[in-house]
């Protein structure tokens, strides 16, 4: 990475009885769309609030554009934020909400009106400037919040779970809009979310956090395919985890003796023969074998029974417990054969060993 | 929607109808409603209505006689003592209102937004007590403190300082009125500030508002209804107050409340006292409507 | 940091201003000086003794107890009726009724006193404790209804419906479910109504005639000579108010927790 635009140096936030962020280091490039993700309480929102200057870190430094911002008050940082609650001013019109930051800067009323309406046009709310906030739909309010944050042409935009209050349809719609805005503006977006799909759809790089610590940072695909630990693997949906004793290494694969049989995993971690090694398999990489069929040569074969199913649109998730008592989660397109997959149905699983991922030992 | 989820919607759809007759259903609300309705009508609405009626009556041989006579209104409204008292009372009430708002706001701001939940709870409990404890005694206490031979002056004398003339002026009057208004106004503003969406303050700072701008552009507009309520309450209390002007300024000059009490207690001029009372109510109603209009949420043009 | 110190200083000054008159009354009721002055003239219980030996004060005290108890009982019952009516039913004339319950405290007591005197002066209730009670109830019911209505808001839609579902008639549900649920707020309403009545002096002065309540006695003493007995009665009056209001707060907060279901 070249000179970072935002640099968080050993950032620390300790509340009495709760260490929210622990010595966090992170560099964010200019124009990057970065997503901070993790379960609630992982410290992602606190990190964002510290960048905005709303919470004062108990340790470390925040640099933006090379300038130390740690002691700079929130109102002088130029780090506008889009809030989960939106925090629109109910006593101001739509236009006055958008013009608010301009007014704070002392812009003339004419300039405020012109710029605010430019931005309202830009987010598809042209002509609605005189309305009351209460007259807008959820999606429209969201657009007002975005326009208000961008009207000062900041070089950075903070978004704190901005879409989580919206219904699924609107969420996807606004997601594309955010992506478009990022393309057009070419400014840094720092986006906090607990939703994997939002982060993956939008971000150039995702940062997975847990317990106030960055677990892994990288392009979504890398993090998804190569999680560095069991937490990230689980958070990414690689809930199927096996372990076995290393018996040897050959042809770029590690061979293991597992309760489910002899398994191979791509050789990506240093291991010693005789050590215990765990690995994960993505839910979308598992396949069911048709009854009576054997697995292709070189592929494992695990038998078990269906314990439950879930449908999300065109995909289905099948929960399977192996005969050895391990949980497998398999995701696939809806094939219309679910009638045969009632709980208790015996099934056989397989996967391409090249798609398994050995978890680095820490 | 089930009927249970909307309990207030209608009598017909809420409780079970017993054996289902309409009379059985109506019995309970009638049983509950009639006494309180009759009570408030008999002892609140009718007396006030009667007060209005009396303004048109006449006094003959020291006795009230029904009539429809505008003479009372004409006499009172054109009399100089009434006009003086009206202007003075309004002035006093306005000053007390502004003072109590100015003094209460910083305190309410600190209590609602800066103190810990525990300290906030204690403050609220502390502020409620004076609202419901004897005002007349507190006025007396201020007399004791401020009078020529009172605590302040004997204290000053102990220090070898000259005595101060504290009782009987604007200062003592406002001290008395603030005793009445300050706790309530602080409470109302505290609740208003506690009730506002606090993320608006953070959002404003995030969008570049300085502390002063946050206050004038966000906090104050956000609690506008609360400000209105606090102002109206302070005005109402000080406009109608009797004890402070009597005991802390010696009725000099008299306020409208003093005029009423004097007129009533002297016995003969009921209709004129009623005219003063009704005029006061009209002014209060006007003030209320005015503040309502000013503090209502903005409507779309 | 200096902001913090300034803030605390300001709050302390405000607290002192609000508490000052009450402190003065209590502290100087034990002062041997005939007229409260500095320096403190030594501790005495004389004024308390004198006050308790004063027949007019004793009769005022008796009247005050009767009036505030009577007011508290009636205002609590009527306040509950109004609150439940507002919570449960929709009917023609509801808004004016609720206004008639809520508005009285907003009318200056001087005017209220005059109006109530005008209305009562032709009835046998004029000049009796009963006359003061009916007027005080009309004022106190507003506070009582507000406290109970808040509690009813926490009742949740299901509890009463469950009682009906289990075969309770509306009256039985009211008695066995709603009233027990509202108990803390009923106690709070009782205490607050009693406090409102106990401290009210204008209406009591107008309609009470020769039957003085304690605050009216104070008012009349104030119009006469300086009298150290005022401090002594004042201490008692303040103590009773403080107890009533504190109790009301305790029970109202208990209701605010909203966890227990009686």
């Amino acid at each position: 990475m070249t000179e970072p635009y935002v640099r968080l140096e050993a950032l620390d936030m300790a509340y009495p009885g709760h260490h929210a962020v622990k010595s966090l280091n992170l560099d964010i490039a200019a124009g990057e769309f970065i997503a901070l993700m993790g379960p609630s309480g992982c410290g992602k929102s606190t990190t964002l609030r510290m960048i905005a200057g709303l919470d004062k870190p108990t340790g470390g430094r925040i640099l933006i554009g090379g300038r130390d911002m740690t002691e700079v008050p929130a109102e002088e940082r130029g780090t506008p934020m889009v809030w989960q609650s939106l925090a629109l001013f109910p006593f101001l019109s739509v236009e006055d909400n958008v013009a608010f930051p301009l007014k704070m800067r002392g812009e003339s009323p004419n300039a405020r009106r012109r710029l605010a309406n430019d931005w309202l046009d830009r987010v598809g709310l042209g002509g609605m400037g005189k309305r009351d906030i209460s007259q807008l739909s959820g999606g429209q309010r969201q657009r007002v919040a975005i326009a208000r944050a961008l009207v000062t042409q900041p070089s950075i935009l903070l978004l704190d779970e901005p879409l989580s209050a919206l219904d699924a349809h609107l969420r996807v719609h606004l997601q594309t809009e955010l992506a478009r805005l990022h393309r057009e503006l070419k400014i840094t977006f720092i986006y906090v979310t607990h939703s994997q799909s939002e982060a993956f759809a939008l971000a150039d790089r995702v940062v997975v956090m847990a317990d106030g610590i960055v677990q892994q940072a990288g392009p979504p695909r890398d993090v998804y395919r190569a999680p560095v630990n069991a937490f990230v693997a689980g958070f990414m949906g690689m809930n199927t985890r096996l372990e076995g004793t290393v018996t040897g290494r050959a042809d770029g694969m590690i061979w293991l003796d597992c309760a489910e049989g002899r398994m191979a995993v791509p050789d990506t971690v240093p291991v010693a023969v005789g050590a215990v090694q765990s690995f994960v398999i993505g839910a979308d990489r598992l396949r069911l074998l048709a009854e009576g069929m054997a697995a292709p040569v070189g592929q494992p074969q695990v038998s078990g029974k269906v314990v439950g199913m879930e449908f999300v649109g065109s995909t289905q998730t099948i929960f399977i417990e192996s005969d050895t008592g391990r949980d497998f989660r398999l995701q696939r397109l809806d094939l219309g054969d679910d009638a045969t997959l009632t709980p208790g149905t015996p099934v056989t699983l397989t996967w391409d060993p090249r798609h398994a991922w050995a978890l680095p030992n820490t | 929607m089930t009927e249970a989820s909307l309990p207030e919607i209608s009598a017909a759809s809420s409780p079970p109808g017993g054996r289902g007759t309409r009379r059985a259903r109506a019995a309970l609300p009638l049983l509950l409603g009639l006494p309180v309705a009759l009570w408030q009508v008999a002892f609140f609405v009718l007396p006030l209505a009667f007060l209005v009626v009396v303004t048109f009556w006449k006094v003959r041989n020291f006795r009230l006689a029904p009539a429809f006579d505008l003479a009372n209104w004409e006499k009172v409204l054109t009399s100089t003592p009434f006009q003086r008292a009206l202007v003075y009372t309004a002035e006093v009430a306005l000053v007390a209102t502004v003072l109590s708002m100015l003094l209460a706001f910083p305190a309410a701001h600190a209590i609602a937004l800066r103190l810990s939940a525990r300290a906030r709870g204690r403050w609220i409990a502390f502020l409620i007590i004076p609202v419901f404890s004897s005002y007349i005694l507190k006025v007396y206490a201020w007399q004791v403190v401020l009078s020529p031979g009172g605590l302040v002056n004997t204290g000053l004398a102990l220090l070898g300082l000259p005595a101060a003339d504290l009782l009987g002026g604007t200062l003592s009057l406002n001290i008395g009125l603030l005793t009445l208004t300050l706790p309530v106004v602080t409470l109302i503003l505290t609740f208003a500030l506690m009730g506002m969406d606090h993320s608006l303050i953070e959002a404003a700072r995030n969008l570049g508002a300085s502390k002063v701008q946050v206050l004038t552009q966000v906090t104050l507009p956000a609690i506008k209804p609360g400000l209105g309520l606090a102002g109206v309450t302070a005005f109402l209390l000080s406009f109608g107050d009797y004890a402070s002007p009597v005991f802390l300024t010696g009725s000099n000059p008299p306020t409208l409340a003093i005029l009423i009490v004097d007129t009533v207690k002297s016995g003969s001029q009921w209709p004129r006292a009623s005219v003063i009372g009704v005029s006061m109510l009209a002014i209060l109603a006007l003030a209320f409507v005015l503040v309502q209009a000013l503090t209502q949420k903005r409507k779309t043009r | 940091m200096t902001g913090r110190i300034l803030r605390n200083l300001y709050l302390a000054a405000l607290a002192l201003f609000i508490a000052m008159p009450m402190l003065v009354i209590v502290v100087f009721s034990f002062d041997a000086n005939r007229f409260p002055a500095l320096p403190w003239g030594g501790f005495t219980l004389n004024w308390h003794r004198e006050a308790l030996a004063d027949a007019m004060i004793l009769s005022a005290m008796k009247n005050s107890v009767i009036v505030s108890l009577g007011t508290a009982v009636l205002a609590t019952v009527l306040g509950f009726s109004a609150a439940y009516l507002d919570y449960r039913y929709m009917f023609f004339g509801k808004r004016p009724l609720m206004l008639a319950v809520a508005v009285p405290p907003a009318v200056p007591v001087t005017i209220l006193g005059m109006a109530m005197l005008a209305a009562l002066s032709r009835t046998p209730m004029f000049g009796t404790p009963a006359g003061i009670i009916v007027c005080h109830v009309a004022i106190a019911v507003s506070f009582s209804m507000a406290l109970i209505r808040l509690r009813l808001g926490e009742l949740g839609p299901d509890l009463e419906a469950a009682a009906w579902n289990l075969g309770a008639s509306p009256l039985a549900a009211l008695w066995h479910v709603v009233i027990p649920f509202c108990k803390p707020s009923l106690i709070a309403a009782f205490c607050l109504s009693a406090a409102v009545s106990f401290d009210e002096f204008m209406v009591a002065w107008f309609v009470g005639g020769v039957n003085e309540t304690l605050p009216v006695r104070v008012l009349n003493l104030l119009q006469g000579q300086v009298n150290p007995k005022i401090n002594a009665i004042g201490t008692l009056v303040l103590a009773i108010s403080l107890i009533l209001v504190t109790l009301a707060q305790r029970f109202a907060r208990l209701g605010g927790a909203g966890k227990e279901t009686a």
Side-chain angles (χ1 to χ4, degrees):
Chain A
M1 195 186 289
T2 53
E3 188 60 19
Y5 183 60
V6 177
R7 163 165 272 178
L8 309 182
E9 258 178 36
L11 204 57
D12 215 80
M13 188 67 193
Y15 298 105
H18 175 53
H19 205 163
V21 174
K22 297 168 190 159
S23 190
L24 182 129
N25 289 296
L26 188 66
D27 283 352
I28 300 167
E32 195 177 7
F33 196 136
I34 195 159
L36 302 182
M37 54 189 307
S40 54
C42 70
K44 57 189 191 297
S45 286
T46 308
T47 305
L48 198 71
R49 290 175 58 86
M50 287 193 286
I51 296 173
L54 297 166
D55 285 343
K56 202 174 174 318
T58 47
R61 294 203 306 162
I62 297 165
L63 292 99
I64 300 177
R67 179 175 166 212
D68 187 342
M69 289 285 189
T70 322
E71 298 297 330
V72 175
E75 58 268 30
E76 288 165 27
R77 286 200 189 190
T79 50
M81 180 147 145
V82 179
W83 308 65
Q84 183 176 7
S85 68
L86 301 186
L88 294 174
F89 303 117
F91 43 85
L92 296 180
S93 67
V94 167
E95 182 187 295
D96 289 344
N97 259 284
V98 177
F100 184 90
L102 301 170
K103 191 176 181 188
M104 295 306 107
R105 288 180 165 193
E107 300 269 359
S108 75
N110 274 333
R112 287 178 345 223
R113 202 169 312 125
R114 188 169 42 75
L115 275 168
N117 281 303
D118 283 354
W119 266 99
L120 285 172
D121 285 342
R122 206 157 166 183
V123 296
L125 293 177
M128 295 200 188
K130 298 293 177 218
R131 292 206 191 173
D132 232 55
I133 294 298
S134 60
Q135 293 171 300
L136 301 188
S137 70
Q140 289 171 329
R141 289 179 200 194
Q142 191 69 53
R143 287 158 200 269
V144 176
I146 293 170
R148 184 179 72 171
L150 290 172
V151 73
T152 52
Q153 307 198 305
S155 51
I156 182 168
L157 179 67
L158 309 179
L159 303 106
D160 188 6
E161 310 237 12
L163 305 183
S164 61
L166 301 174
D167 65 52
H169 179 76
L170 261 178
R171 196 152 55 221
V172 174
H173 202 78
L174 276 159
Q175 222 167 278
T176 13
E177 206 140 321
L178 281 175
R180 176 180 64 83
L181 280 171
H182 181 246
R183 262 197 323 276
E184 290 173 10
L185 298 169
K186 300 183 173 64
I187 63 173
T188 310
F189 276 38
I190 307 181
Y191 190 101
V192 159
T193 180
H194 62 267
S195 155
Q196 188 199 322
S197 69
E198 273 174 33
F200 279 23
L202 292 169
D204 301 323
R205 200 152 62 99
V206 297
V207 177
V208 181
M209 293 181 68
D211 297 328
I213 289 166
V214 171
Q215 304 289 327
Q216 188 169 7
R221 202 189 154 75
D222 291 4
V223 175
Y224 184 65
R225 290 301 173 205
V228 295
N229 58 33
F231 172 82
V232 177
F235 194 74
M236 291 295 135
M238 294 183 125
N239 303 61
T240 303
R241 184 170 160 214
L242 301 174
E243 61 180 34
T245 313
V246 178
T247 55
R249 319 167 78 146
D251 306 330
M253 303 297 268
I254 303 171
W255 288 88
L256 303 158
D257 254 347
C258 301
E260 291 77 16
R262 205 166 133 72
M263 307 269 171
V265 191
D267 187 357
T268 53
V269 290
V271 283
V273 171
V276 174
Q277 173 65 40
S278 58
F279 65 98
V280 290
I281 314 134
D284 56 333
R285 299 297 197 187
L286 288 173
R287 288 195 301 113
L288 283 184
L289 284 173
E291 228 184 307
M293 296 281 285
V297 178
Q299 291 203 3
Q301 190 168 326
V302 176
S303 56
K305 59 178 191 296
V306 175
V307 291
M309 296 189 66
E310 233 176 55
F311 300 88
V312 181
S314 57
T315 59
Q316 55 179 205
T317 306
I318 307 170
F319 299 91
I320 294 157
E321 190 186 312
S322 70
D323 296 341
T324 54
R326 284 204 180 265
D327 292 328
F328 286 75
R329 193 160 95 171
L330 179 154
Q331 208 171 46
R332 62 176 198 178
L333 287 175
D334 190 349
L335 301 176
D337 64 347
D338 42 282
T340 62
L341 291 173
T342 49
T345 310
V347 287
T348 311
L349 287 160
T350 188
W351 62 89
D352 187 330
R354 284 170 300 178
H355 294 152
W357 173 257
L359 290 175
N361 296 297
T362 47
Chain B
M1 290 256 165
T2 63
E3 57 175 44
S5 70
L6 276 173
E8 303 99 320
I9 278 305
S10 84
S13 77
S14 25
R19 298 290 164 260
T21 67
R22 290 194 110 176
R23 272 176 59 203
R25 279 190 208 177
L28 184 59
L30 266 180
L31 192 76
L32 288 169
L34 265 186
V36 63
L38 288 177
W39 198 286
Q40 294 309 100
V41 167
F43 302 116
F44 175 65
V45 179
L46 284 182
L48 283 186
F50 184 55
L51 198 70
V52 177
V53 172
V54 167
T55 61
F56 303 110
W57 285 14
K58 283 184 173 167
V59 182
R60 285 201 198 94
N61 303 328
F62 302 103
R63 292 188 64 91
L64 276 174
F68 185 81
D69 193 352
L70 288 172
N72 301 316
W73 280 93
E74 213 185 304
K75 233 188 204 117
V76 171
L77 295 186
T78 56
S79 84
T80 322
F82 171 80
Q83 291 172 350
R84 277 211 190 117
L86 173 65
V87 171
Y88 176 68
T89 311
E91 215 178 86
V92 163
L94 276 176
V95 169
T97 302
V98 171
L99 266 181
S100 52
M101 296 282 274
L102 286 179
L103 290 172
F105 185 81
H109 193 268
I111 294 167
L113 304 177
R114 299 280 180 266
L115 295 189
S116 67
R118 209 185 148 107
R120 185 159 56 235
R122 287 198 182 142
W123 260 97
I124 290 170
F126 169 74
L127 288 169
I128 288 174
I129 290 167
V131 177
F132 294 100
S133 66
S134 190
Y135 170 53
I136 187 83
L137 277 172
K138 284 179 267 180
V139 169
Y140 163 71
W142 283 120
Q143 241 186 1
V144 165
V145 173
L146 301 173
S147 68
L151 298 183
V152 172
N153 279 324
T154 49
L156 286 176
L158 278 182
L159 300 173
L161 293 167
D165 187 13
L166 300 168
L167 197 61
T170 322
L171 176 75
S172 59
L173 178 62
N174 276 305
I175 287 178
L177 292 176
L178 283 174
T179 310
L180 186 63
T181 56
L182 209 47
V184 197
V185 170
T186 311
L187 271 176
I188 295 174
L189 293 179
T190 301
F191 285 129
L193 286 164
M194 281 165 67
M196 80 174 275
D197 179 357
H198 295 171
S199 70
L200 296 183
I201 294 174
E202 288 193 330
R205 291 188 57 212
N206 177 255
L207 294 168
S210 68
K211 277 187 176 135
V212 176
Q213 283 172 321
V214 168
L215 191 69
T216 58
Q217 308 289 324
V218 177
T219 312
L220 288 177
I223 62 159
K224 221 155 96 181
L227 290 172
L229 182 63
V232 164
T233 308
F235 185 78
L236 183 128
L237 287 173
S238 37
F239 188 71
D241 183 41
Y242 171 76
S244 280
V246 166
F247 297 112
L248 297 176
T249 71
S251 308
N252 182 30
T255 61
L256 291 177
I258 293 174
L259 280 190
I260 288 182
V261 173
D262 287 353
T263 318
V264 169
K265 288 281 165 179
S266 68
S268 57
Q269 273 307 333
W270 266 94
R272 289 190 195 160
S274 305
V275 169
I276 304 172
V278 173
S279 312
M280 284 175 79
L281 285 181
I283 289 166
L284 288 177
L286 198 74
F288 181 78
V289 169
L290 204 76
V291 170
Q292 276 281 302
L294 282 174
T295 57
Q296 233 165 23
K297 272 183 90 178
R298 59 175 291 283
K299 288 273 173 284
T300 328
R301 277 152 281 177
Chain C
M1 214 66 227
T2 46
R4 205 192 160 96
I5 293 167
L6 274 177
R7 185 211 307 153
N8 287 337
L9 274 177
Y10 185 73
L11 285 179
L14 182 83
L16 186 70
F17 176 79
I18 290 173
M20 173 84 105
M22 299 186 258
L23 290 176
V24 165
I25 298 269
V26 176
V27 170
F28 288 93
S29 74
F30 299 104
D31 181 9
N33 286 328
R34 173 150 278 271
F35 186 82
L38 292 174
W40 166 270
F43 181 85
T44 180
L45 285 173
N46 276 347
W47 314 126
H48 291 260
R49 248 177 254 130
E50 263 184 46
L52 290 175
D54 182 324
M56 288 184 85
I57 289 176
L58 286 179
S59 103
M61 209 180 283
K62 197 184 102 201
N63 283 333
S64 265
V65 169
I66 293 171
V67 167
S68 58
L69 279 183
T71 301
V73 170
L74 285 163
T76 307
V77 172
L78 295 181
F80 175 80
S81 307
Y84 186 75
L85 225 53
D86 179 47
Y87 167 74
R88 167 65 58 215
Y89 300 103
M90 198 70 172
F91 52 91
F92 178 75
K94 176 171 167 175
R95 231 182 108 75
L97 173 60
M98 291 307 147
L99 275 176
V101 173
V103 163
V107 177
V109 273
T110 315
I111 299 168
L112 217 47
M114 171 171 60
M116 285 167 167
L117 169 59
L120 282 186
S121 59
R122 286 125 201 270
T123 70
M125 277 192 284
F126 172 71
T128 65
I132 309 176
I133 291 177
V134 292
C135 296
H136 276 183
V137 169
I139 302 171
V141 72
S142 170
F143 298 102
S144 154
M145 134 119 184
L147 283 176
I148 298 167
R149 183 64 185 83
L150 271 177
R151 176 68 173 157
L152 279 172
E154 295 164 4
L155 178 58
D158 293 340
L159 222 57
E160 214 184 350
W164 302 332
N165 180 258
L166 296 170
S169 71
L171 190 66
L174 191 66
W175 185 254
H176 293 289
V177 178
V178 179
I179 288 181
F181 180 85
C182 290
K183 209 161 105 194
S185 67
L186 292 173
I187 298 173
F190 182 93
C191 294
L192 197 66
S193 305
V196 167
S197 166
F198 195 75
D199 293 331
E200 200 291 320
F201 61 93
M202 284 305 269
V203 171
W205 186 34
F206 274 106
V207 303
V210 290
N211 273 300
E212 294 180 334
T213 58
L214 270 184
V216 176
R217 185 86 282 266
V218 171
L219 187 72
N220 285 329
L221 283 173
L222 278 182
Q223 281 165 335
Q225 279 290 319
V226 167
N227 193 330
K229 281 188 257 181
I230 297 176
N231 284 317
I233 322 173
T235 303
L236 181 75
V237 169
L238 284 178
I240 292 174
S241 299
L242 186 76
I243 291 168
L244 287 173
V245 177
T246 310
L247 278 177
Q249 287 197 40
R250 276 284 143 74
F251 282 102
R253 181 152 328 138
L254 213 103
K259 262 183 244 157
E260 82 288 354
T261 44

